[in-house]
Amino acid sequence: MMQRTLISALAALENGPVKVQGWVDTVRDQKKVQFVVLRDETGALQLVNPRLEGRETISDTISTLAQGTMITVEGELKHDERVKLGGLEVKISSIKVESEADPETPIADDSSIDKRLDYRFLDLRTARNNTMFRAQTTFAHAMREYWYERDYIEVFSPKLMASASESKAELFKVDYFDRPAYLAQSPQFFKQMAQSAGFGKIFEIGPVFRADPSFTSRHATEFTGVDAEISWIDSHHDVMDMQEALMRTALAAVKERHGDAIKEHFDVDINVPETPFPRIPLLEAREIVQSRGHKFERNDLDMDPEGEREIARWAMEEHGSEFVFLTDYPMSIRPFYHMKHEDDPTLTKSYDLIWNGVEISTGAQREHRVDVLTEQIREKGMEPEELDFYIEFFRYGAPPHGGFGMGLARMMMLMLHQPNLREVTYLFRGPNRLQP
Amino acid sequence: MMQRTLISALAALENGPVKVQGWVDTVRDQKKVQFVVLRDETGALQLVNPRLEGRETISDTISTLAQGTMITVEGELKHDERVKLGGLEVKISSIKVESEADPETPIADDSSIDKRLDYRFLDLRTARNNTMFRAQTTFAHAMREYWYERDYIEVFSPKLMASASESKAELFKVDYFDRPAYLAQSPQFFKQMAQSAGFGKIFEIGPVFRADPSFTSRHATEFTGVDAEISWIDSHHDVMDMQEALMRTALAAVKERHGDAIKEHFDVDINVPETPFPRIPLLEAREIVQSRGHKFERNDLDMDPEGEREIARWAMEEHGSEFVFLTDYPMSIRPFYHMKHEDDPTLTKSYDLIWNGVEISTGAQREHRVDVLTEQIREKGMEPEELDFYIEFFRYGAPPHGGFGMGLARMMMLMLHQPNLREVTYLFRGPNRLQP
């Protein structure tokens, strides 16, 4: 039996017999000759069938082909500069239908995003979406490689919990035999636990769940979280050092492996960022954007989306950087576990990372001292008793530590200049979407 | 500020000033000299403090140290062959307590597994458990590397579903806004969907959930699944080819990076298996073990645990192999989506992989033809309507495809000769365990 050749590998072969497999993209059924554009996971190829005597079986088969039908073709590869599609074609000597497609294709290029998501398995067949998920594969792999080479331990933290991991407001409840369990909103507590466990440096890429009923372009009820946590840091600046090196490494890998395809399908040039990224204290950043004309409408001290876009413009103008760290957030808008500055307890050793005007990540040094941690829980109006299983992690010695979390799909959205998470998630989950 | 040196990196340094950070393992507080064994994520080190005039602050601090307390020490590294612990010690010049441990350590080496799991963050501090999770990190990374180098796409499939992915019996129900959702029991449907999506070859390592109330050493309600699925296969033998190469690659990586530590802490020699693994049709395997004296007590045609152990002994004796594939399971004991043999529809193109006498994986070619698939659903007593969203994946063309799934913790259990999943899971989840 002849071995299959991937379409992308044909260009390197001499003229001669080949076997290709994939799905029918288009058929041009002419009087004297038939053309089929075949696609597989690596590209597109022109198949040709001259309608000559003795070839009726092939011709008849081609005439019935619907878009999407999966076929196996053996034929003669011929390099021919006149063929627009890659400068080669395959003259069919045998064709086998492996699986017939329904002739009514339910989606088209101009279908709404909701309709396309209903048929995501077809929507994903485009070369564009294929490129997207190959780029994501490389992005994730390059991050893991960065960590692996530096002796990080990979953690697979549990997603079933007895209590909330972040806020009680956005928590999914699970029927767990005769009691309730909850889905992890982040691996926060468990990645910190690894520090008490003496793991030193850890990472995890895995699902997190948020029962958030909002329908914005940036929200999903389930997404892939990218988390790292490291011990023996001096401050949140050590975490930023790691994260910016990680981003640089991962984007360089994507550019190298997929830069051309991304340019072709998304018209985006992947820029490998210079490090260090600019680091601006949040309160200073607020002044900068206000001096550039932005008005904050909320009363807290946080950035708002337009403020993020404005500080990004500033970072590009002043530092030529797509990335900017906003640092030292006020304690009033940070969770209880962020560490305060010794010399100004209203501020935390924390940061957000902004990419192309959108927040993609939050990081911080964590409070590891039981007495301070307990006090901070009280200050946030919570009962330390409710968090006792977590505080327990620090009672038997815990090193100074910190880390960050970010959303993988959000990264892809910004990397490929996409308008929302639905486009870049394999199977999006939102309040109204649980299928397919 | 002096840079931290990891304990494992000290041996390569000249005598001189160093900074080390970690937790107190033991203190020997003698009249004229104090010794502290310090541990970090890479090893153990002897610290020494001569009780001389002018060093009282250091001496007093050491006298208060509880096991587990996290400290930062600066001192003079000295290579000295007489020191049993690595042939070196550090004479303390300054010591800082970063986080005090409660002096009552709640677990000891002989604590029950349940007690140890209550304090898993301390249980994980042992060099043995540290080795285990480093080995797992390498094992997972080497698998991903194998796939990545071969252009597989990584898939992050959703864990929230509108219906069951395997059996309705072991399904966790989630309150999803105003309706029920379910936790994925496997990525089965979604990794098959990637084949219709033209992804070609995919992998996923992520959590799966089983509402299984049993308490055996092999069961957990949440575990890390390792899944791969590939298109354009001729039969399940293509899947086995991939899986055995994967196992060989991953075990070779573990042996190279952790072989010595595994030998030291587990007294286990990692064997890099020869490929191909023996492949024995299940019905033949049943005859083999019966001829060796095993009696099946159940009435179905499946293997039982003792049968698995016996066929493993046979595979070792006859083929010198720790691994054996049992192939071509009867349709009566396989799920509806396994493909039947053309020449014997009572048998499927499927297999189980046995390692050291325990089943670690199930693989198969899947039925991709809508009409046959629908018929097989009916034969299993189910309604095709209930699985319509899944059948839909195949209506618009689907290539012949197959794959396997296996449990990561089960792999680690067998690799390190451990008695149960509790020992090898970062944070075990069972019917009675949701914490920490």
Side-chain angles (χ1 to χ4, degrees), chain B residues 49-187:
Chain B
N49 177 49
R51 283 178 171 277
L52 300 175
E53 240 185 83
R55 300 179 63 86
E56 289 82 3
T57 324
I58 295 174
S59 312
D60 290 353
T61 302
I62 291 174
S63 295
T64 68
L65 292 176
Q67 189 184 18
T69 290
M70 295 278 166
I71 56 176
T72 295
V73 168
E74 296 188 2
E76 288 292 317
L77 171 68
K78 191 179 156 198
H79 291 265
D80 183 345
E81 283 183 9
R82 293 166 304 175
V83 180
K84 281 185 194 161
L85 197 56
L88 44 82
E89 68 180 9
V90 167
K91 187 178 154 190
I92 301 171
S93 43
S94 82
I95 180 167
K96 183 185 169 205
V97 171
E98 302 284 354
S99 150
E100 272 183 62
D102 194 301
E104 300 255 343
T105 306
I107 55 167
D109 288 348
D110 61 351
S111 298
S112 72
I113 173 80
D114 244 26
K115 183 89 177 171
R116 284 192 286 113
L117 292 193
D118 287 343
Y119 294 92
R120 185 63 162 165
F121 51 101
L122 297 178
D123 186 44
L124 290 173
R125 276 191 192 167
T126 60
R128 188 169 176 282
N129 279 335
N130 189 292
T131 297
M132 187 190 310
F133 286 93
R134 289 190 188 279
Q136 177 174 282
T137 301
T138 296
F139 188 73
H141 193 75
M143 286 193 288
R144 293 198 192 99
E145 190 103 327
Y146 175 92
W147 289 316
Y148 182 69
E149 285 170 358
R150 287 161 184 80
D151 289 324
Y152 284 59
I153 292 179
E154 180 166 14
V155 161
F156 297 94
S157 71
K159 308 310 163 198
L160 289 168
M161 297 180 68
S163 57
S165 51
E166 296 279 339
S167 111
K168 282 186 197 161
E170 302 183 345
L171 205 52
F172 283 120
K173 185 164 149 272
V174 181
D175 291 353
Y176 197 74
F177 306 103
D178 53 352
R179 54 178 165 158
Y182 302 95
L183 292 179
Q185 296 155 301
S186 81

Side-chain angles (χ1 to χ4, degrees), chain B residues 4 13 32 61 90 117 140 177 197 295 321 355 383 422:
Chain B
R4 179 193 189 201
L13 297 188
K32 297 202 169 161
T61 302
V90 167
L117 292 193
F177 306 103
K295 286 196 173 48
S321 178
W355 187 16
E383 294 301 325
R422 290 165 173 77

Side-chain angles (χ1 to χ4, degrees), chain A residues 1 4 21-23 40-41 67-72 98-102 104-106 119-122 124-125 130 133-134 136-138 140-141 144-145 148 151-163 172-177 179-181 183 190-191 193-200 203 205 207 209 211-213 221-222 224 231-232 234 257 368-369 389 392-400 408 426-427 429-436, chain B residues 1 4 21-23 40-41 67-72 98-102 104-106 119-122 124-125 130 133-134 136-138 140-141 144-145 148 151-163 172-177 179-181 183 190-191 193-200 203 205 207 209 211-213 221-222 224 231-232 234 257 368-369 389 392-400 408 426-427 429-436:
Chain A
M1 203 155 28
R4 177 193 189 202
Q21 298 182 300
W23 63 94
D40 73 6
E41 61 265 38
Q67 189 183 18
T69 290
M70 296 278 168
I71 56 176
T72 296
E98 302 285 355
S99 148
E100 272 182 61
D102 195 300
E104 299 255 342
T105 305
Y119 294 91
R120 184 63 163 164
F121 51 100
L122 296 178
L124 290 173
R125 275 190 194 168
N130 190 292
F133 286 93
R134 290 191 187 278
Q136 177 174 283
T137 301
T138 295
H141 192 75
R144 294 198 193 98
E145 190 104 325
Y148 181 70
D151 289 324
Y152 284 59
I153 292 178
E154 180 166 14
V155 162
F156 297 94
S157 71
K159 308 310 163 199
L160 290 168
M161 298 181 68
S163 56
F172 283 120
K173 185 163 151 274
V174 181
D175 291 352
Y176 196 74
F177 304 104
R179 55 178 162 156
L183 293 180
F190 300 137
K191 65 181 183 163
M193 195 192 92
Q195 312 310 307
S196 295
F199 277 19
F203 69 91
I205 302 182
F209 305 89
D212 182 343
T221 53
E222 175 178 353
T224 303
S231 286
W232 299 107
D234 291 316
R257 193 151 162 156
H368 64 282
R369 295 160 298 185
F389 90 94
E392 192 82 353
F393 297 163
F394 309 104
R395 280 195 221 285
Y396 304 93
L408 182 61
Y426 178 60
L427 281 168
R429 290 293 181 255
N432 285 342
R433 183 165 287 283
L434 274 175
Q435 277 196 332
Chain B
M1 203 158 27
R4 179 193 189 201
Q21 298 181 300
W23 64 94
D40 73 7
E41 61 266 37
Q67 189 184 18
T69 290
M70 295 278 166
I71 56 176
T72 295
E98 302 284 354
S99 150
E100 272 183 62
D102 194 301
E104 300 255 343
T105 306
Y119 294 92
R120 185 63 162 165
F121 51 101
L122 297 178
L124 290 173
R125 276 191 192 167
N130 189 292
F133 286 93
R134 289 190 188 279
Q136 177 174 282
T137 301
T138 296
H141 193 75
R144 293 198 192 99
E145 190 103 327
Y148 182 69
D151 289 324
Y152 284 59
I153 292 179
E154 180 166 14
V155 161
F156 297 94
S157 71
K159 308 310 163 198
L160 289 168
M161 297 180 68
S163 57
F172 283 120
K173 185 164 149 272
V174 181
D175 291 353
Y176 197 74
F177 306 103
R179 54 178 165 158
L183 292 179
F190 300 136
K191 65 182 183 163
M193 194 193 93
Q195 312 311 306
S196 295
F199 278 19
F203 68 93
I205 302 182
F209 305 90
D212 182 345
T221 53
E222 174 179 354
T224 303
S231 283
W232 299 107
D234 291 315
R257 191 148 163 159
H368 64 283
R369 295 160 297 185
F389 88 95
E392 192 82 352
F393 298 164
F394 309 103
R395 281 197 220 283
Y396 304 92
L408 182 60
Y426 179 60
L427 281 168
R429 291 293 181 255
N432 284 342
R433 181 164 289 281
L434 273 175
Q435 277 196 329

